Amino acid sequence: MASLVLLPATSLVGNRLETSGLFFSSRSSVVSVRNQRTFCVRSSLDTDVSDMSVNAPKGLFPPEPEHYRGPKLKVAIIGAGLAGMSTAVELLDQGHEVDIYESRSFIGGKVGSFVDKRGNHIEMGLHVFFGCYNNLFRLMKKVGADQNLLVKDHTHTFVNKGGEIGELDFRFPIGAPLHGIQAFLTTNQLKTYDKARNALALALSPVVKALVNPDGAMIDIRNLDSISFSDWFLSKGGTRASIQRMWDPVAYALGFIDCDNISARCMLTIFSLFATKTEASLLRMLKGSPDVYLSGPIRKYIIDRGGRFHLRWGCREILYDKSVDGETYVSGLAMSKATNKKIVKADAYVAACDVPGIKRLLPKQWRESQFFNNIYELVGVPVVTVQLRYNGWVTELQDLERSRQLRQALGLDNLLYTPDADFSCFADLALTSPEDYYIEGEGSLLQCVLTPGDPYMPLTNDKIIERVTKQVLTLFPSSQGLEVTWSSVVKIGQSLYREGPGKDPFRPDQKTPVKNFFLAGSYTKQDYIDSMEGATLSGRQASAYICDAGEDLVALRKKLSANGSPELLEAANTTDELTLV
């Protein structure tokens, strides 16, 4: 079945988005296949984006780096996920030579996607972009992907059992913090008593301080890392019902664990941004698959500037030695691709891995360093992502008859939360990301994130599909009779690191005790949570450390060369020309 490209061009009509065949309304989307009108979706990153450079914690959006004027470096990056590619873009912009090694056949890491033999796009997870993702938006603008996100209505939608809809509606004429106050006081997802207690808890939180002192509030929020959000929330007067009906689905969406197990720091970081930045709670989703609309433009930018990708090359071992003064340094990377093997040498090495990846990669002897040993205190969370294609429109709740036809796409065009299923967040990608997921003559493509994923990991794909399909019917009784025509299951044994109480101090800095070895990844130390934004920010920080160490890295290379170190030296062939960008 051929995929239909539905979003050609531009005209915004009131609150509704119309296209040559596509029509979007604020609550229920309609996509038709008539070819008469053109339209424009709200996709620009020049508007409806929070400015994190003012009235925000300074660490969340660093200023632009100064032009690098040191010697040109050869840098090898392990991992072509968002963190690795973010690092590469920053280094290439400063004039360095960059090679990226990826063990898989595709790039993107946790935001990767690929196409199966039938032409279906398979994703690693559901990707949603908050309006405060300034580092990621900066990257997307830089690589020419700034028109690749579709803005959703400024409301967070909860689908309850029986098709009952609850909302946290931020659409209000006045911005932060009043739009948030209005949303929480008027939500129909909570009962009146729970809303009042919820308001009390938030009023006693560092979120209020963030309105006048963002950096001070961030310090207070970090200091709450040692307790769970549930413990903090209940101690401030919040109710268990609020947690179950609203905050658990949000916690699962953010960190894949519930409020009893997620750190208060994680949740309150997001709350403080929602309270102080009007657009922080505004959601965007990609027009289509991540490989085409996110990873693809970044890859092209990197290649156009001389960066090189080496796919299917996995790192078997980090080779290291000690200099005459006792300092540990990396001498090379032992790489393999099928039966091919080689040693990669560089001035600087970046491990842009996830938590299980970095644990496998680090030499055992390095655990004698507290810095590296701390990483082993972090564990990943299992997650299962399920895609279900239907022969009708599952999330269309207003017109049962029209949900059965396939001439128009109907339903809820937004990220959806639920407290009443094992998938806490989901979306109909045929509506939210139609470029690659709307298929002419077919219906909804639900993408459901099963959290916690532990109970589902040992199950067969067929059993998982059976369970998820039943739960979809519980949420949308009107979908009775619709059939699943295609499905996929992606299991990730360890995805995001488990942001439990007391784990933040174990997150490593991007600069390590090994002079020419650096880290990147959303689990590393940065002021945001483990996310796409955190991964991008970690890449910026890793690049800054490498540039700061430029003179020392070249001095290390020359010292080893002068001492006749046999490891050297492909990297020695890199010229010491000054790079003026």
Side-chain angles (χ1 to χ4, degrees):
M1 289 165 287
S3 174
L4 180 65
V5 178
L6 293 168
L7 305 173
T10 98
S11 95
L12 178 58
V13 183
N15 238 351
R16 312 161 79 169
L17 297 172
E18 301 186 1
T19 140
S20 59
L22 275 129
F23 165 86
F24 292 91
S25 66
S26 62
R27 171 65 72 78
S28 178
S29 264
V30 182
V31 181
S32 73
V33 292
R34 299 183 305 272
N35 290 309
Q36 295 169 353
R37 288 179 297 202
T38 59
F39 89 117
C40 176
V41 295
R42 288 189 296 157
S43 58
S44 172
L45 290 178
D46 294 324
T47 59
D48 298 318
V49 173
S50 299
D51 184 358
M52 300 302 294
S53 63
V54 296
N55 193 32
K58 294 182 177 61
L60 289 178
F61 189 58
E64 289 300 312
E66 295 182 0
H67 293 321
Y68 178 74
R69 298 182 182 274
K72 183 176 182 178
L73 302 172
K74 180 179 176 65
V75 183
I77 299 174
I78 306 168
L82 198 49
M85 291 193 293
S86 171
T87 308
V89 167
E90 298 298 316
L91 290 171
L92 288 166
D93 284 349
Q94 296 288 27
H96 299 298
E97 181 181 346
V98 178
D99 287 271
I100 306 175
Y101 298 87
E102 170 58 52
S103 62
R104 291 188 286 192
S105 60
F106 59 91
I107 64 172
K110 290 193 287 287
V111 296
S113 66
F114 60 92
V115 181
D116 71 6
K117 294 180 180 179
R118 294 179 56 187
N120 297 294
H121 291 261
I122 312 295
E123 292 194 21
M124 300 296 102
L126 186 60
H127 309 298
V128 181
F129 300 70
F130 287 104
C132 54
Y133 277 10
N134 275 203
N135 293 285
L136 183 51
F137 293 161
R138 169 184 171 273
L139 175 61
M140 295 183 73
K141 281 186 173 183
K142 182 178 290 193
V143 304
D146 50 316
Q147 298 294 323
N148 290 356
L149 293 172
L150 303 181
V151 182
K152 304 308 174 186
D153 281 334
H154 201 171
T155 181
H156 291 210
T157 304
F158 294 79
V159 181
N160 302 295
K161 187 182 299 184
E164 294 295 323
I165 299 296
E167 285 192 297
L168 199 55
D169 194 341
F170 293 91
R171 293 171 290 191
F172 194 61
I174 304 174
L178 295 182
H179 78 315
I181 295 173
Q182 183 265 351
F184 285 110
L185 291 180
T186 61
T187 180
N188 59 340
Q189 183 62 15
L190 300 178
K191 295 180 179 178
T192 301
Y193 175 77
D194 297 314
K195 284 191 286 189
R197 304 298 295 185
N198 190 64
L200 174 64
L202 294 179
L204 297 175
S205 75
V207 169
V208 177
K209 186 175 182 178
L211 296 170
V212 293
N213 183 1
D215 287 303
M218 182 58 74
I219 292 172
D220 292 346
I221 289 171
R222 285 198 204 103
N223 291 336
L224 291 171
D225 180 69
S226 60
I227 65 172
S228 71
F229 178 75
S230 288
D231 287 344
W232 175 85
F233 185 72
L234 295 173
S235 72
K236 299 299 180 183
T239 64
R240 178 57 68 175
S242 294
I243 291 174
Q244 293 171 341
R245 303 308 299 171
M246 179 174 284
W247 298 129
D248 268 349
V250 173
Y252 279 130
L254 291 175
F256 300 160
I257 50 179
D258 63 16
C259 291
D260 288 348
N261 292 288
I262 199 168
S263 164
R265 175 196 57 81
C266 179
M267 296 287 282
L268 291 174
T269 296
I270 299 299
F271 291 173
S272 67
L273 297 176
F274 283 11
T276 57
K277 299 294 182 181
T278 302
E279 301 85 0
S281 50
L282 180 65
L283 305 180
R284 287 171 165 83
M285 296 181 72
L286 288 168
K287 285 182 176 180
S289 67
D291 185 61
V292 175
Y293 291 96
L294 181 60
S295 302
I298 301 174
R299 173 178 51 207
K300 183 178 185 303
Y301 185 93
I302 290 171
I303 293 173
D304 287 348
R305 279 150 187 80
R308 295 176 289 267
F309 285 91
H310 307 269
L311 302 185
R312 297 184 185 273
W313 279 99
C315 183
R316 294 181 291 110
E317 184 182 0
I318 295 176
L319 307 176
Y320 69 98
D321 207 338
K322 288 191 176 182
S323 60
V324 292
D325 54 6
E327 285 190 331
T328 299
Y329 64 91
V330 175
S331 58
L333 303 175
M335 310 295 295
S336 63
K337 178 180 182 179
T339 58
N340 299 317
K341 297 179 181 180
K342 66 179 178 180
I343 305 297
V344 169
K345 298 181 181 299
D347 295 312
Y349 304 86
V350 182
C353 311
D354 55 12
V355 168
I358 192 62
K359 287 181 180 179
R360 288 194 298 267
L361 194 61
L362 291 175
K364 292 181 180 179
Q365 293 81 354
W366 287 12
R367 291 194 67 175
E368 296 174 5
S369 163
Q370 190 63 49
F371 177 93
F372 291 114
N373 194 55
N374 281 344
I375 295 175
Y376 293 83
E377 297 293 329
L378 305 176
V379 295
V381 181
V383 62
V384 179
T385 301
V386 176
Q387 289 179 313
L388 301 173
R389 174 74 73 179
Y390 285 84
N391 62 348
W393 302 101
V394 174
T395 65
E396 170 53 37
L397 299 169
Q398 300 176 5
D399 192 324
L400 180 61
E401 183 177 343
R402 294 181 69 198
S403 71
R404 265 57 180 170
Q405 54 73 44
L406 297 174
R407 297 183 309 278
Q408 294 179 320
L410 306 164
L412 302 173
D413 174 20
N414 213 329
L415 173 69
L416 305 174
Y417 303 94
T418 179
D420 294 326
D422 290 340
F423 48 92
S424 57
C425 63
F426 63 106
D428 185 345
L429 296 186
L431 297 172
T432 62
S433 306
E435 286 279 6
D436 290 321
Y437 298 110
Y438 175 85
I439 298 178
E440 184 177 4
E442 301 217 12
S444 292
L445 177 63
L446 294 191
Q447 183 152 297
C448 307
V449 182
L450 290 163
T451 49
D454 310 64
Y456 285 86
M457 295 301 287
L459 300 182
T460 64
N461 288 358
D462 288 342
K463 194 66 177 178
I464 292 172
I465 296 299
E466 179 185 344
R467 289 193 183 186
V468 173
T469 303
K470 287 181 180 178
Q471 293 180 39
V472 169
L473 186 58
T474 299
L475 298 180
F476 299 99
S478 58
S479 67
Q480 178 75 44
L482 295 182
E483 296 179 355
V484 175
T485 59
W486 173 84
S487 62
S488 76
V489 175
V490 174
K491 297 178 180 179
I492 301 179
Q494 294 192 60
S495 180
L496 305 179
Y497 92 90
R498 187 180 293 271
E499 296 197 73
K503 294 301 181 183
D504 193 55
F506 298 109
R507 297 169 72 182
D509 200 2
Q510 291 80 30
K511 181 180 180 181
T512 79
V514 178
K515 182 178 290 187
N516 61 345
F517 182 71
F518 302 84
L519 301 175
S522 54
Y523 75 94
T524 60
K525 182 70 72 176
Q526 37 85 16
D527 281 337
Y528 210 75
I529 61 174
D530 191 341
S531 60
M532 294 184 291
E533 175 72 355
T536 309
L537 177 55
S538 77
R540 292 190 65 188
Q541 294 177 178
S543 171
Y545 278 127
I546 292 170
C547 290
D548 287 345
E551 298 286 353
D552 291 339
L553 292 170
V554 170
L556 174 63
R557 178 215 302 166
K558 291 180 177 179
K559 180 192 297 186
L560 297 176
S561 180
N563 292 337
S565 179
E567 290 88 8
L568 266 101
L569 290 185
E570 239 170 76
N573 295 327
T574 304
T575 62
D576 287 345
E577 64 193 32
L578 291 183
T579 303
L580 302 179
V581 182

